[in-house]
Amino acid sequence: MTEKQRKILDTALELFALEGYNSISTKKIAQGAGVSEGLIFKHFGSKEGLLDYLVEEGVELMNRELDTLMQISDASERLRATLRFPKTIIDRNPAYWKVQISIKFANHEIKEKYHNSSFMGKAMGILNDTFDELNFENPQMETQLLMQIIGSFFMALVNDEIENYDEMLSFLEKKYNLK
Amino acid sequence: MTEKQRKILDTALELFALEGYNSISTKKIAQGAGVSEGLIFKHFGSKEGLLDYLVEEGVELMNRELDTLMQISDASERLRATLRFPKTIIDRNPAYWKVQISIKFANHEIKEKYHNSSFMGKAMGILNDTFDELNFENPQMETQLLMQIIGSFFMALVNDEIENYDEMLSFLEKKYNLK
DNA sequence: TATTTTTGTAAGTGATTACTCACTTTTATT
DNA sequence: AATAAAAGTGAGTAATCACTTACAAAAATA
């Protein structure tokens, strides 16, 4: 990866996160990265190719975070970490997740393309095992519900729409018998 | 309201819901409605003016739905209806809510403009009163959590990403001691 | 019926879009 | 050192965008 190639990616990620994929032109990216517009297409083929690359990086990042979550041996501790998961990873790399979420509601073709979200299955697997270990009555439904809750916190945090997240966390921990 | 005026609104609503506000050009709307493109600007001033009108209609629709929810006297029954709320109103008018949700993740300026979502406060008020009446330990946090859950179901339903909604509903009803 | 106002159209406008192409400079290979 | 390949540029391209304007038909008002 060239220095300018990385610069293009970093600039695009930053701008996509700030204003959304559709609102950012390749011209703006080129200006921000200090390169010619043509170079973007030399390296990434198209604007969407650029997005592909960033999404791929995001998926890898997410998979790594999920692996560390999976490695927590104590089930209660793992569930606690799962509740804190959205905040943890957003604090670490906000831009990637802003882009990932904005895609879900962007252009229709683009939405279709990235729909499968490979890591969702992995996350559900972890959660299902955890509820199983903790002898919850209906692990599958517990998993589905908590996935929805975590997803909504994810979005709320990314859009800065939540203020008392810590209070909500301890409220949830009580609900899940973790304190 | 002229016949063609209504036709423009209906076409725009349908197309915005299908492919998102940003992806639909005024030309496409005019073609779909069978009118000249200029007429859109005569009646609504701008493309955004057209969106304003549709959003306003959606807000009124939502307020009416919330009013009927509020009129349920029995608190348990009201909570039950609240859980079913997303499905109820999406079945009735899917297009409006697809547009409302897509806006939240569209263009940055547009997102800012419609951010306040006047009916959210109303919905929270209803829910808070309900949890109060039912003597839940922490009505405020219960409200906040259920608002998140309902919001996520709202989005999942609009995007056809949920299959066992009924099962999820009875699971939730158990959690809230409604059966 | 005459006049004004509203509704509607068709053919534009400049700006912006993603992308291409001919070309030069730099780096790697033999 | 000679040659090939890759990196990079800058000035284009056609298409599309939201929107305007000059004008005609229809409806409302007088």
Side-chain angles (χ1 to χ4, degrees):
Chain A
M1 169 134 352
T2 325
E3 185 189 336
K4 297 202 170 179
Q5 214 164 342
R6 190 68 250 170
K7 196 75 208 293
I8 290 170
L9 284 170
D10 291 342
T11 307
L13 178 65
E14 183 192 348
L15 294 179
F16 288 167
L18 265 175
E19 300 185 32
Y21 172 77
N22 283 312
S23 304
I24 296 298
S25 64
T26 49
K27 191 180 179 184
K28 274 188 202 163
I29 297 169
Q31 285 173 344
V35 301
S36 67
E37 204 179 343
L39 192 57
I40 294 174
F41 296 90
K42 264 273 160 62
H43 282 315
F44 302 100
S46 64
K47 190 189 171 190
E48 211 174 313
L50 186 53
L51 181 63
D52 285 345
Y53 209 101
L54 291 173
V55 168
E56 187 53 39
E57 286 189 342
V59 168
E60 283 169 21
L61 223 60
M62 178 65 89
N63 276 322
R64 245 176 290 158
E65 301 280 1
L66 286 175
D67 284 340
T68 68
L69 187 68
M70 207 158 45
Q71 279 159 17
I72 299 175
S73 53
D74 180 62
S76 291
E77 198 51 51
R78 191 163 62 243
L79 183 53
R80 230 188 304 271
T82 304
L83 295 178
R84 293 175 194 283
F85 192 73
K87 185 95 189 318
T88 307
I89 67 169
I90 285 170
D91 280 350
R92 206 122 58 200
N93 289 93
Y96 280 102
W97 317 127
K98 280 194 187 185
V99 174
Q100 293 265 0
I101 281 185
S102 78
I103 285 170
K104 286 207 85 171
F105 302 89
N107 198 292
H108 204 249
E109 303 140 32
I110 288 175
K111 182 165 81 176
E112 293 295 321
K113 189 173 171 187
Y114 300 111
H115 179 260
N116 58 353
S117 295
S118 61
F119 50 76
M120 288 293 275
K122 192 184 220 170
M124 285 186 69
I126 297 172
L127 209 46
N128 209 30
D129 293 349
T130 305
F131 281 125
D132 239 0
E133 281 187 63
L134 293 173
N135 296 315
F136 274 68
E137 203 176 315
N138 193 340
Q140 281 190 15
M141 295 310 291
E142 293 285 0
T143 297
Q144 202 175 330
L145 176 60
L146 191 49
M147 285 292 288
Q148 293 283 347
I149 293 174
I150 287 176
S152 79
F153 283 148
F154 208 84
M155 258 181 262
L157 284 169
V158 156
N159 294 323
D160 277 322
E161 287 171 0
I162 208 159
E163 64 294 335
N164 55 344
Y165 188 68
D166 288 334
E167 197 180 345
M168 177 54 77
L169 276 184
S170 50
F171 181 69
L172 276 174
E173 288 184 357
K174 253 186 238 161
K175 286 227 163 202
Y176 285 104
N177 308 314
L178 292 173
K179 55 158 57 172
Chain B
M1 169 137 349
T2 325
E3 186 189 338
K4 297 203 171 181
Q5 212 163 343
R6 189 67 250 170
K7 195 74 207 295
I8 289 170
L9 283 170
D10 291 341
T11 307
L13 178 64
E14 184 191 347
L15 294 179
F16 289 166
L18 266 174
E19 301 185 30
Y21 173 77
N22 282 312
S23 304
I24 297 297
S25 64
T26 50
K27 190 181 180 183
K28 276 188 201 165
I29 297 169
Q31 284 172 344
V35 301
S36 67
E37 203 179 343
L39 192 58
I40 295 173
F41 295 91
K42 265 272 160 63
H43 282 315
F44 303 100
S46 64
K47 190 189 172 190
E48 213 174 313
L50 186 51
L51 181 63
D52 285 344
Y53 208 99
L54 291 172
V55 168
E56 187 52 39
E57 286 189 342
V59 167
E60 282 169 21
L61 224 59
M62 178 65 90
N63 276 322
R64 246 176 290 157
E65 300 282 359
L66 287 174
D67 284 340
T68 69
L69 187 69
M70 208 159 45
Q71 278 159 18
I72 301 174
S73 53
D74 180 63
S76 290
E77 199 51 51
R78 191 162 63 242
L79 182 54
R80 230 188 304 273
T82 304
L83 295 178
R84 293 174 195 284
F85 192 72
K87 185 94 190 318
T88 307
I89 67 168
I90 285 170
D91 281 349
R92 206 121 59 202
N93 289 92
Y96 281 102
W97 318 127
K98 280 194 187 186
V99 173
Q100 293 265 0
I101 282 184
S102 79
I103 285 169
K104 285 207 87 171
F105 301 90
N107 197 293
H108 204 249
E109 302 141 33
I110 288 176
K111 182 164 83 175
E112 292 295 320
K113 188 173 172 188
Y114 300 112
H115 179 262
N116 57 352
S117 296
S118 59
F119 51 75
M120 288 293 275
K122 193 185 220 170
M124 285 185 71
I126 297 172
L127 208 46
N128 208 31
D129 292 348
T130 305
F131 282 125
D132 238 359
E133 282 186 62
L134 293 172
N135 295 314
F136 275 68
E137 203 176 314
N138 192 340
Q140 282 191 12
M141 294 311 290
E142 293 284 1
T143 297
Q144 201 175 332
L145 176 59
L146 191 49
M147 285 290 290
Q148 292 282 347
I149 292 174
I150 287 176
S152 80
F153 284 147
F154 207 84
M155 259 182 259
L157 285 168
V158 156
N159 294 324
D160 277 321
E161 287 171 0
I162 208 160
E163 64 292 335
N164 55 346
Y165 188 67
D166 289 334
E167 197 180 345
M168 178 53 77
L169 277 184
S170 51
F171 181 71
L172 275 175
E173 288 183 358
K174 252 186 241 162
K175 286 227 162 199
Y176 285 105
N177 309 315
L178 292 173
K179 56 157 58 170

